[in-house]
Amino acid sequence: FTALSTVSWMATRGSLFLFALFPIFLLHCCRVFAFPLPPHLHLRSRTKPLCQSARIVCQTAGRVQVESIRMQSKETSEEVAEEDIVRRAALDVGSACIKLVVADVRCRPGSVPVVINSLFEAKDNVYMTEDLEKHGGTEFSSAILEKSFQALKRMQKLAEEKGATEIAGVATAAFRKASNGPAHLMRLREEGIKLEIVAQEEEAALGFMTARSACSDLDIDRMVAWDSGGGSFQVTAWEGGKVVSWMAGVGSGVAGALLVQRVQAGCLKQGGSPNPVALEDAEALVVSLKEKIGACPPWMLDKIRSPGVTVVGIGDAYSIFHLGAQLASEAAGEERHRFSRREVWEGVQRLCRKSDEELFSRGYTREVDRARSVVPKAVLLYTVMELLGCEAVLKRQTNGNGLGVLIAENFWG
């Protein structure tokens, strides 16, 4: 009787074990023999889209609404069909640099585009805002337009070599100001390079999309994206189901012009460097920048002060955020990606009274003739942090807003 009881108990436990394994066995068979699975049992694909799309809708009063936005980086439960993949090349023509991103994008009718695989990136420094400021802030010189044209033709060739079948992009702050910018873009369009001048609200939304993809580990409601170039900056957050932004037409190129023309009472056309910059001049530049930028709106101040909010600065190795992280790393004696407002100002104090050659030799710039922009960048970074009431910034390296352009449907087709 004891033996029979033991056998019966073992059989019962064995049956339960096999019953528990049966669903796993069934799923495996469905995958191997391509049987259709019920939707709630569908196994997730290994393809991880970087970011999903947004249709950009501009609104006045310095705020922008983004419709149908789904920013979370997550696995998709759908297989990617080859016919749905388009290899796109996105151009971001900024105020100081032209950026290119080539990627495979899933473009399925009736659904938002998804970046499947980022393949190639390139950049070329073309200082559009600096040239604009030298010519009265109203038009580009013929020399800078030709340099821009040749740089974009090189980018077009690189994109074609990487297999891109579509190429499009955006032109930002400098082109919003220059009277001869639209004619330049028409010339490029004749060469097959389609660029659109975007409003600053649209640029802010693209920056938020790019920051979100670079920081998918952060809660969308607890992230504030800060994008700053040569001609403007945008500070953007997600609130109430839409993107909201505080922005100004002030970037590092504008800060440099203010330092030379207003603070040092020099002439930008002479092409001279402001270095070495006296600490008193740096302090005066803070005052001038605050006057030009104006106060940060209360709703953004409240957002920054909210518990758990992280301010993310996006940009490449030439950005003000890279410089901020470099100053913090130098002081700490180790690599840092997060920096405080205090560390930035202490860094400004170290940068003052340094010549171009000294700033270059210490690695603050990759070109000695660009050393003239180092102090204005650091002062601009500190000033906006102070206006925001922002104690710290997390740096994330990106190649402009190319990722946002790739999936913003209104730039393609």
Side-chain angles (χ1 to χ4, degrees):
F1 177 80
T2 301
L4 288 173
S5 298
T6 301
V7 170
S8 176
W9 178 82
M10 291 176 65
T12 301
R13 291 297 297 270
S15 298
L16 290 172
F17 179 74
L18 291 173
F19 182 80
L21 287 178
F22 180 75
I24 299 173
F25 174 75
L26 176 61
L27 287 174
H28 177 72
C29 289
C30 288
R31 294 296 286 180
V32 172
F33 298 105
F35 297 151
L37 288 174
H40 65 286
L41 289 179
H42 206 296
L43 299 183
R44 292 187 294 178
S45 166
R46 293 182 183 179
T47 302
K48 294 185 178 181
L50 299 179
C51 182
Q52 296 198 8
S53 178
R55 185 178 301 281
I56 298 172
V57 182
C58 294
Q59 180 178 310
T60 57
R63 299 169 80 100
V64 63
Q65 290 184 343
V66 176
E67 204 174 73
S68 306
I69 193 168
R70 288 184 287 172
M71 293 296 185
Q72 290 83 351
S73 176
K74 57 184 179 182
E75 296 181 341
T76 177
S77 61
E78 302 176 26
E79 297 295 336
V80 180
E82 186 176 347
E83 60 268 21
D84 293 332
I85 302 299
V86 178
R87 184 159 295 180
R88 286 176 171 174
L91 290 163
D92 180 359
V93 183
S95 297
C97 187
I98 297 171
K99 283 85 67 177
L100 168 71
V101 178
V102 179
D104 287 333
V105 182
R106 189 191 73 186
C107 300
R108 180 173 298 168
S111 64
V112 294
V114 178
V115 174
I116 299 300
N117 189 21
S118 184
L119 303 168
F120 178 76
E121 295 183 355
K123 65 186 70 176
D124 198 344
N125 292 331
V126 182
Y127 300 102
M128 307 297 289
T129 289
E130 190 172 287
D131 179 86
L132 192 66
E133 295 293 335
K134 287 180 180 179
H135 295 85
T138 59
E139 65 177 23
F140 298 124
S141 68
S142 57
I144 201 69
L145 288 177
E146 185 59 28
K147 186 174 182 180
S148 166
F149 181 83
Q150 296 301 328
L152 285 161
K153 288 293 291 180
R154 288 193 296 272
M155 294 289 187
Q156 182 187 39
K157 184 178 179 182
L158 285 170
E160 291 171 349
E161 288 173 353
K162 299 300 177 181
T165 57
E166 297 179 359
I167 182 167
V170 296
T172 56
F175 281 85
R176 291 194 288 266
K177 299 176 183 177
S179 59
N180 55 350
H184 181 60
L185 298 189
M186 285 298 296
R187 180 188 176 197
L188 288 164
R189 187 177 287 267
E190 292 170 359
E191 298 291 325
I193 303 172
K194 185 178 70 172
L195 297 174
E196 295 185 25
I197 300 174
V198 291
Q200 196 172 3
E201 292 86 356
E202 292 179 298
E203 187 179 359
L206 291 170
F208 187 81
M209 293 164 70
T210 300
R212 178 61 182 153
S213 69
C215 299
S216 58
D217 56 318
L218 297 179
D219 186 341
I220 192 171
D221 296 310
R222 292 288 178 265
M223 184 190 77
V224 173
W226 180 2
D227 179 19
S228 186
S232 65
F233 73 80
Q234 297 79 226
V235 183
T236 311
W238 179 263
E239 189 172 336
K242 62 181 181 291
V243 164
V244 292
S245 300
W246 174 54
M247 59 197 79
V250 179
S252 57
V254 177
L258 279 175
L259 175 60
V260 173
Q261 295 174 329
R262 184 181 297 183
V263 176
Q264 296 180 332
C267 179
L268 197 63
K269 283 188 176 181
Q270 294 175 357
S273 170
N275 295 317
V277 177
L279 181 58
E280 295 77 14
D281 287 348
E283 292 170 343
L285 181 57
V286 172
V287 175
S288 294
L289 284 169
K290 285 183 177 180
E291 291 174 355
K292 192 167 184 66
I293 294 169
C296 180
W299 54 264
M300 181 59 80
L301 294 173
D302 291 342
K303 182 72 176 182
I304 297 290
R305 287 194 290 259
S306 298
V309 166
T310 299
V311 178
V312 180
I314 59 170
D316 59 18
Y318 297 91
S319 72
I320 63 173
F321 309 111
H322 180 84
L323 178 58
Q326 186 177 3
L327 292 172
S329 299
E330 181 182 73
E334 60 182 9
E335 186 176 10
R336 299 269 299 278
H337 297 286
R338 188 184 298 271
F339 53 88
S340 69
R341 190 167 75 208
R342 176 183 56 80
E343 288 171 327
V344 173
W345 185 248
E346 289 174 352
V348 169
Q349 294 174 314
R350 295 196 302 274
L351 296 174
C352 287
R353 297 181 290 274
K354 299 287 191 302
S355 67
D356 286 358
E357 290 72 20
E358 287 177 297
L359 294 172
F360 172 71
S361 66
R362 296 190 181 197
Y364 294 117
T365 177
R366 297 182 181 184
E367 306 167 44
V368 68
D369 66 335
R370 300 309 308 167
R372 62 180 179 269
S373 66
V374 173
V375 174
K377 281 182 176 180
V379 174
L380 175 64
L381 177 60
Y382 170 79
T383 303
V384 179
M385 288 182 76
E386 190 166 80
L387 289 171
L388 283 168
C390 173
E391 294 300 328
V393 172
L394 175 65
K395 181 206 79 171
R396 280 288 182 266
Q397 188 152 326
T398 64
N399 195 27
N401 290 328
L403 179 60
V405 175
L406 284 167
I407 58 176
E409 297 167 279
N410 44 324
F411 299 122
W412 306 91

